[in-house]
Amino acid sequence: MIKMEDEMSFDLPIATVWELINDKHTMAACIPTLKSYRIVDDDNVEGLVSVMLGALPIESRVSMTVLERNPPREVRAAGYSYLGEALAKPTKDGQPPSELKDSVGKFRVRVQLIPLSPESTSARVQVEVEAEGKLKRIYNMIMEKKLPALRAEFENKLRAAIAARIAPTPPPPTAGPIPSPQEAPISYSRWGRWLGRVVQLLNRLLG
Amino acid sequence: MMDPSDVIIIGAGHNGLILACYLARAGLKVTVFERRLEAGGGLTTEEITLPGFYHNLHSFFHDLAAVMPAMKDLELERFGVRYLRPPVQVGLPLADGRALVIHGDLEATCHSIARFSERDARAYRDLHQDYAEFIELLVLPALFSPPAAPSHAYAALEKSPQGRRYLQLCRRSPLEVVEDLFESEAVRAAVLFQLAIPRGVLFDYAGLGMLVPLVASHAEQSHVCAGGSHVLAHGLWRCLLASGGALRGVHEVKRILIEDGRAVGVEVMTGTGLQEARAKRAVVSAVDAGQTFLELVGPELLPEDLRARVRQVRLDEFSIFGVHLALKEPPVYSSQAFDPDLAQALKVAVGLEDVSEIQRVFQAVRAGLLPEPGMMFAAVPTRFDPSQAPAGFHTALLWQPAPYALKDGGPERWDRIGEEYADRCLARWASYAPNLPKAILARRVLSPLDIERKLVNMRRGGVFMARTSQDQIEAFRPLPELADYRTPIPGLYLCGACTHPGGGITGGPAFNALQILTEDLNINRWWEQ
């Protein structure tokens, strides 16, 4: 199992951070490998992820289920990724159905918010990734190599989104099957991108 | 009857030994039966010319030593196994005095290629940059995973243009790919040279074009085992004993015992006659599918259609005619004046002026004819490991791809013509290294027939245990119904080179079979996954 833990602090009240991390569009825009997504219902999202290995994009489908929300302090989610044409419905705890045992990567996410002051909040993010089946070794190799850079990219995007206090405007979710990456890319609003860059620059200057 | 074991393994080649070590360390009582006195299969190092000159008769270099899980998991360094990686991997001397040199380092390789073609140097670098990470993170780990369903590769790649281009490349032959990518005959030949040995893949095997990016990725670097290949065999042997396992040499398995449809042990020929050895949990065969199902399992115990399909498993298309030399000095190539690094190349392609040499050699091999010496594989192990000869002296080996059964006279003809053919091979080598004839102190020929005589598992002198063709790799090796290391007989498994990822010293078949056995037998998984 690969475990990752990050802690970030924001100069925002806990309620604002809580609202933004529960905004599926905001979070979708922050996930580096997510090419497209579909909101199934309030607790379930499906998507298409793509990881570059050299010049080759390796694509797989992903399903995530929100397991528990304890506003405004904690949210837990679980999901899985799968190489294949269609995602089978996850089990109640977000896990893959048993027939997918040969090619599954499972993950669990826990985000805890801790108020540091009325106007600042710390977010502790814990991620566990575990692969099963014949592709386990491959999943693990890719995750071990790629996670550090993906983690940094996620943090940058999250900071930009939260600092902007404006949710990025990805294309509207589709009601039907997950579109191909060319049809429904994730994108920021121009205002959001500009403000995000300003915030990043300020962060660097201020250390 | 012998004391029962939890698991019996048939064959003490490196795959059988590796699996035995893992299982023994998991707490199982493991016994390995080996027909020969010496364990290790192709890991043989012997004094066959003069005292003090140790010759690696089969396996000589090991490409996956650095990434083989067994090295780390079994702590083989603790049992005396140490690897050396020569920085210069392949040398290709040409009759016109030039030489192409493939280094472990990409830039040094591109510099050498650029002396033949700037365009090819760029193409080689681009190929490396496009695929090196993909090969490191996906292709290499896949060697140490049970084969996934063929559809998974397509599912992961087919959605993107780059992925589809790669899938298209996969469908081509290596020759078609090098012709598309490179203009220089020397560059094309140098790449294709690295496919036949140690991968068993010939230039025109359709569906194996992806091996060209694999070569350019430099992910598989050839290593030599310090002290000779047998040191790996001995290290595994010591590891097995230290883990509580047992190895019975000169114990030939004659029959797999099957009761109520389940494999329960083996019948073994010992020094005192036939004896039964029982396995409480599994019998694992490290020998090839043919021996396992057509000789060791009675015909009444297997459906005839499976037996027929096992008979159809295609063996290697070529064998190797070898000449082992004791030398008073190493070969000095005329082309060293063009590129001094040639002297340090681990593997030298002798008599490979262009791709047509490869085609000519294998056209002859396929027809059962003696090829005019060419596309030969030459090496001087003592350049990198002086311990394999007395101080100041050297050993060398020369491998010529050759047919097992000669059209006129069959395999037995090798006994009559071996020495004369060795003269011709050495003469061709000497045309590139003029000092060679006077440097030879002694020599020994090992023909394709000699290979089969010594190592029964290398049937028809094939060193890869089954052809490495598109229809017999990954989820189809050796047959689709046997590709996950299980067999139709409960309790009987496969772990040898006839399974994925195939021949060569990788430990991959054993490690993958281990994962299946772990699942089926609920074994304590003490190693890192």
Side-chain angles (χ1 to χ4, degrees):
Chain A
M1 182 183 296
I2 296 166
K3 293 186 182 181
M4 193 177 73
E5 194 164 315
D6 260 330
E7 193 151 341
M8 295 173 260
S9 25
F10 303 96
D11 292 331
L12 289 167
I14 190 171
T16 305
V17 179
W18 174 258
E19 188 189 322
L20 283 163
I21 66 167
N22 278 279
D23 182 321
K24 292 178 192 58
H25 298 299
T26 300
M27 296 312 294
C30 295
I31 296 171
T33 58
L34 192 66
K35 301 289 284 187
S36 62
Y37 69 100
R38 178 173 82 97
I39 296 174
V40 177
D41 56 42
D42 201 40
D43 291 333
N44 289 282
V45 180
E46 292 175 351
L48 186 71
V49 295
S50 177
V51 174
M52 293 300 292
L53 299 186
L56 290 177
I58 304 299
E59 300 191 346
S60 60
R61 297 176 184 273
V62 65
S63 163
M64 190 176 81
T65 302
V66 175
L67 300 178
E68 188 181 2
R69 291 187 186 86
N70 294 313
R73 297 293 180 107
E74 186 190 41
V75 60
R76 289 192 309 114
Y80 71 96
S81 66
Y82 174 61
L83 289 174
E85 268 308 310
L87 279 169
K89 203 174 161 191
T91 60
K92 246 188 340 185
D93 56 355
Q95 297 304 287
S98 57
E99 62 265 25
L100 294 185
K101 71 180 182 124
D102 260 358
S103 53
V104 167
K106 299 192 291 190
F107 61 90
R108 282 181 287 274
V109 180
R110 184 185 184 204
V111 181
Q112 291 173 290
L113 300 184
I114 301 153
L116 299 175
S117 75
E119 295 300 321
S120 66
T121 305
S122 169
R124 186 177 299 154
V125 181
Q126 294 167 307
V127 178
E128 292 175 355
V129 180
E130 185 175 35
E132 283 189 353
K134 291 176 179 172
L135 299 180
K136 177 170 183 159
R137 193 172 189 87
I138 297 169
Y139 267 114
N140 286 348
M141 287 289 285
I142 294 173
M143 284 294 110
E144 275 180 23
K145 182 85 184 285
K146 292 292 188 177
L147 263 181
L150 294 176
R151 184 174 158 180
E153 193 179 340
F154 171 75
E155 184 177 335
N156 287 341
K157 288 184 175 182
L158 182 61
R159 286 189 179 284
I162 288 183
R165 294 197 203 188
I166 298 170
T169 53
T174 56
I178 298 168
S180 72
Q182 291 76 20
E183 293 169 9
I186 304 294
S187 65
Y188 287 103
S189 70
R190 193 179 298 176
W191 166 246
R193 281 199 299 272
W194 178 83
L195 194 57
R197 282 193 213 109
V198 168
V199 169
Q200 282 180 322
L201 178 61
L202 285 172
N203 278 338
R204 272 193 227 116
L205 289 172
L206 296 172
Chain B
M1 192 188 300
M2 299 180 194
D3 285 343
S5 308
D6 291 317
V7 177
I8 285 173
I9 295 176
I10 303 170
H14 80 287
N15 282 304
L17 289 174
I18 285 174
L19 179 62
C21 289
Y22 274 98
L23 295 176
R25 278 181 68 167
L28 275 71
K29 187 175 174 197
V30 182
T31 303
V32 183
F33 289 107
E34 165 59 45
R35 71 193 311 156
R36 298 176 64 229
L37 175 64
E38 176 89 11
L43 296 170
T44 55
T45 310
E46 296 178 22
E47 291 174 290
I48 57 166
T49 54
L50 295 171
F53 290 81
Y54 294 92
H55 299 274
N56 300 286
L57 303 187
H58 302 285
S59 160
F60 151 57
F61 60 93
H62 307 158
D63 279 7
L64 294 176
V67 298
M68 184 166 72
M71 271 300 291
K72 181 169 158 249
D73 292 343
L74 301 178
E75 301 171 279
L76 291 177
E77 280 198 15
R78 198 156 62 85
F79 297 99
V81 181
R82 191 170 59 90
Y83 274 96
L84 311 162
R85 184 181 70 82
V88 184
Q89 294 277 297
V90 176
L92 175 61
L94 299 172
D96 64 6
R98 293 181 301 162
L100 178 63
V101 177
I102 308 290
H103 299 251
D105 177 72
L106 172 69
E107 286 311 313
T109 301
C110 291
H111 176 75
S112 177
I113 292 174
R115 297 178 78 183
F116 288 80
S117 163
E118 290 276 359
R119 174 181 170 275
D120 286 358
R122 285 193 298 275
Y124 194 92
R125 186 181 287 107
D126 288 347
L127 193 63
H128 176 93
Q129 281 167 356
D130 283 348
Y131 292 109
E133 189 178 43
F134 173 74
I135 284 162
E136 180 200 349
L137 297 183
L138 199 147
V139 173
L140 285 194
L143 300 180
F144 299 103
S145 307
S151 59
H152 287 150
Y154 281 83
L157 291 165
E158 65 185 352
K159 296 278 189 303
S160 67
Q162 308 95 315
R164 286 194 294 277
R165 276 199 292 275
Y166 177 75
L167 290 172
Q168 184 187 39
L169 181 151
C170 291
R171 288 175 169 233
R172 294 192 167 131
S173 70
L175 176 62
E176 288 167 332
V177 175
V178 297
E179 284 178 341
D180 286 345
L181 289 172
F182 306 118
E183 62 182 6
S184 158
E185 279 290 319
V187 175
R188 292 173 178 178
V191 171
L192 294 177
F193 172 73
Q194 298 176 70
L195 300 187
I197 300 170
R199 297 176 176 90
V201 173
L202 298 190
F203 62 102
D204 58 356
Y205 280 1
L208 291 176
M210 67 284 206
L211 290 178
V212 174
L214 176 65
V215 166
S217 75
H218 292 210
E220 292 184 356
Q221 299 265 322
S222 293
H223 293 64
V224 292
C225 190
S229 295
H230 74 145
V231 170
L232 176 59
H234 289 186
L236 287 168
W237 194 345
R238 282 197 284 273
C239 175
L240 177 63
L241 297 181
S243 307
L247 170 60
R248 305 265 181 261
V250 199
H251 275 57
E252 182 182 350
V253 171
K254 292 301 220 180
R255 193 162 64 98
I256 295 172
L257 301 173
I258 296 172
E259 290 172 3
D260 297 326
R262 183 175 185 84
V264 296
V266 295
E267 188 176 71
V268 184
M269 179 59 79
T270 72
T272 55
L274 280 173
Q275 288 194 39
E276 281 190 3
R278 293 267 155 171
K280 293 185 223 168
R281 303 185 72 182
V283 175
V284 188
S285 174
V287 300
D288 73 341
Q291 289 181 81
T292 303
F293 294 106
L294 304 178
E295 296 175 20
L296 300 181
V297 176
E300 69 285 3
L301 295 164
L302 276 180
E304 178 50 36
D305 65 333
L306 177 62
R307 289 172 59 80
R309 283 171 56 69
V310 169
R311 280 193 287 268
Q312 287 169 357
V313 171
R314 279 195 288 278
L315 298 179
D316 295 319
E317 204 170 357
F318 68 98
S319 180
I320 293 171
F321 176 84
V323 187
H324 295 270
L325 304 174
L327 301 173
K328 60 183 179 192
E329 62 186 34
V332 177
Y333 295 95
S334 306
S335 296
Q336 281 171 221
F338 180 86
D339 192 335
D341 286 337
L342 176 63
Q344 296 303 317
L346 172 62
K347 301 169 278 191
V348 179
V350 175
L352 183 53
E353 295 290 317
D354 55 40
V355 172
S356 70
E357 292 256 28
I358 304 176
Q359 293 165 313
R360 173 185 65 71
V361 163
F362 285 101
Q363 186 175 32
V365 168
R366 284 166 168 162
L369 302 171
L370 265 186
E372 272 307 306
M375 202 211 151
M376 296 185 287
F377 180 111
V380 182
T382 40
R383 280 274 201 199
F384 318 100
D385 179 15
S387 74
Q388 296 184 35
F393 293 85
H394 290 272
T395 63
L397 63 93
L398 184 69
W399 288 338
Q400 166 69 58
Y404 166 76
L406 292 163
K407 193 172 175 197
D408 296 321
E412 295 77 18
R413 188 170 158 227
W414 281 113
D415 289 340
R416 298 192 294 278
I417 64 160
E419 293 299 328
E420 186 265 332
Y421 191 59
D423 290 339
R424 288 162 63 188
C425 292
L426 291 173
R428 182 99 200 253
W429 192 359
S431 71
Y432 294 89
N435 72 316
L436 184 66
K438 290 196 173 143
I440 298 174
L441 297 170
R443 79 183 198 191
R444 180 74 173 269
V445 164
L446 208 70
S447 73
L449 180 60
D450 292 326
I451 292 175
E452 186 186 58
R453 281 179 179 134
K454 189 177 182 68
L455 295 170
V456 166
N457 208 32
M458 292 187 182
R459 291 195 294 151
R460 296 180 62 84
V463 303
F464 302 104
M465 261 52 84
R467 195 174 302 184
T468 318
S469 49
Q470 189 189 174
D471 61 326
Q472 290 189 171
I473 60 171
E474 296 167 352
F476 304 100
R477 187 172 181 89
L479 292 172
E481 58 265 48
L482 301 175
D484 71 345
Y485 313 90
R486 299 179 178 102
T487 73
I489 299 172
L492 179 62
Y493 297 82
L494 299 173
C495 76
C498 69
T499 57
H500 169 75
I505 304 302
T506 66
F511 189 76
N512 297 338
L514 172 71
Q515 295 173 66
I516 298 299
L517 280 160
T518 300
E519 206 177 297
D520 287 1
L521 305 186
N522 200 24
I523 291 169
N524 162 39
R525 193 193 297 264
W526 58 265
W527 59 94
E528 209 179 291
Q529 185 62 21

